[in-house]
């Protein structure tokens, strides 16, 4: 696996101002702070092939949406530029969005929310072509047992992207992403989130959090128990 493009914070002053604004997905209890590795000089990764060679996807919200998983900074998740479908082939174009956004210097799986295009039969297998930078990779999704019925209720949902990897969808402020504090796994998994008194924008958007379990999961039903940060719920993980 290779990392997506990393951007470096210019100075400690920029870092201090950025920490209140940066939001992203996390797979660990807490991501490291943005860092500079070159004495403050601005560095930019080349624009070629930032997608790497490992892209995954997970069904979310009963098939109404897909979490596209790439690797890179947890606080600089790629955004969707375009989505289209031709039969059971979905094409997704991603970009880095604001190139001036400060990014944590970590390397984790992070997920981008993609609404399932109209005309795609989610009960049949789906192929997804993901373009990011000048690179393109494919991901496959098995068809679901049934198609979603009606509009989304904007509740939490989750889907597998690896044997030990889950994409969790929650809804809330875009600037107050859930932060994982602890994961305990047995027959299912209990995920505890940090409850922090922090300023949040008043928007209401889908937020994706990637979860890496302590152990791989074998086939069969699996539930997440969410605790803390007003997320308390029990969520089945979509196979």
């Amino acid at each position: 696996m290779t990392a997506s493009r990393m951007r470096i914070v210019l100075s400690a002053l920029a870092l201090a101002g950025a920490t209140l604004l940066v939001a992203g997905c996390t797979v660990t209890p807490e991501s490291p702070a943005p860092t500079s590795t070159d004495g403050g000089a601005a560095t930019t990764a080349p624009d070629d092939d930032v997608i790497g060679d490992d892209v995954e996807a997970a069904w979310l919200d009963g098939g109404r949406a897909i979490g596209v998983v790439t690797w890179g900074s947890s606080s600089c998740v790629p955004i969707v530029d375009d989505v289209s479908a031709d039969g059971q082939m979905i094409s997704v174009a991603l970009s880095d969005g604001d190139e001036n956004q400060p990014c944590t210097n970590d390397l984790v799986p992070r997920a981008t929310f993609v609404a399932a295009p109209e005309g795609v039969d989610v009960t049949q297998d789906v192929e997804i072509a993901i373009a990011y930078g000048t690179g393109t990779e494919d991901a496959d999704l098995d068809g679901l047992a049934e198609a979603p019925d009606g509009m989304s209720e904007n509740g939490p949902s989750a889907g597998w992207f690896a044997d030990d990897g889950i994409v969790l969808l929650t809804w809330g402020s875009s600037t107050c992403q859930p932060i994982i504090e602890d994961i305990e796994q047995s027959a299912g998994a209990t995920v505890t989130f940090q409850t922090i008194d922090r300023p949040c924008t008043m928007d209401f958007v889908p937020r994706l959090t990637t979860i890496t379990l302590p152990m791989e999961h074998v086939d069969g039903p699996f539930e997440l128990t969410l605790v803390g940060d007003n997320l308390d719920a029990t969520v089945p993980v979509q196979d």
Side-chain angles (χ1 to χ4, degrees):
M1 300 181 185
T2 60
S4 297
R5 171 171 45 185
M6 298 288 182
R7 297 185 296 274
I8 308 294
V9 182
L10 295 179
S11 65
L13 179 60
L15 168 61
T19 52
L20 291 178
L21 299 176
V22 172
C25 302
T26 180
V27 291
T28 58
E30 192 166 3
S31 298
T35 61
S36 175
T37 59
D38 58 358
T43 60
T44 304
D47 289 335
D48 57 343
D49 200 22
V50 297
I51 195 170
D53 60 359
D54 189 43
V55 177
E56 301 293 345
W59 287 117
L60 298 169
D61 201 9
R64 298 177 182 87
I66 298 165
V68 173
V69 180
T70 58
W71 283 74
S73 170
S74 62
S75 59
C76 290
V77 181
I79 64 173
V80 176
D81 278 347
D82 186 63
V83 180
S84 61
D86 182 4
Q88 293 300 101
M89 167 66 78
I90 300 175
S91 298
V92 179
L94 302 177
S95 72
D96 287 329
D98 184 2
E99 293 186 356
N100 295 317
Q101 179 180 346
C103 301
T104 50
N105 193 21
D106 54 351
L107 176 63
V108 298
R110 67 272 170 93
T112 300
F113 180 92
V114 177
E118 291 187 9
V120 174
D121 184 356
V122 302
T123 66
Q124 303 297 317
D125 294 350
V126 171
E127 185 175 355
I128 308 171
I130 301 103
Y132 183 25
T134 59
T136 302
E137 289 292 332
D138 293 336
D140 299 319
L141 285 172
D142 294 337
L144 299 174
E146 59 184 11
D149 182 19
M151 299 292 291
S152 172
E153 296 182 356
N154 296 340
S157 61
W160 294 102
F161 73 89
D163 290 340
D164 62 349
I166 297 170
V167 179
L168 171 67
L169 166 63
T170 57
W171 297 79
S173 171
S174 61
T175 58
C176 289
Q177 297 281 342
I179 300 174
I180 295 175
E181 183 174 274
D182 185 57
I183 301 173
E184 296 182 0
Q185 183 178 355
S186 54
T190 299
V191 183
T192 302
F193 296 90
Q194 295 183 13
T195 301
I196 307 172
D197 185 10
R198 50 183 170 164
C200 301
T201 54
M202 294 298 292
D203 54 348
F204 187 74
V205 299
R207 309 173 303 183
L208 300 190
T209 303
T210 53
I211 299 169
T212 299
L213 299 174
M215 300 175 291
E216 291 188 357
H217 167 63
V218 296
D219 292 341
F222 193 90
E223 288 186 334
L224 294 178
T225 300
L226 311 182
V227 178
D229 201 23
N230 296 315
L231 296 174
D232 300 74
T234 300
V235 181
V237 181
Q238 177 68 58
D239 290 327

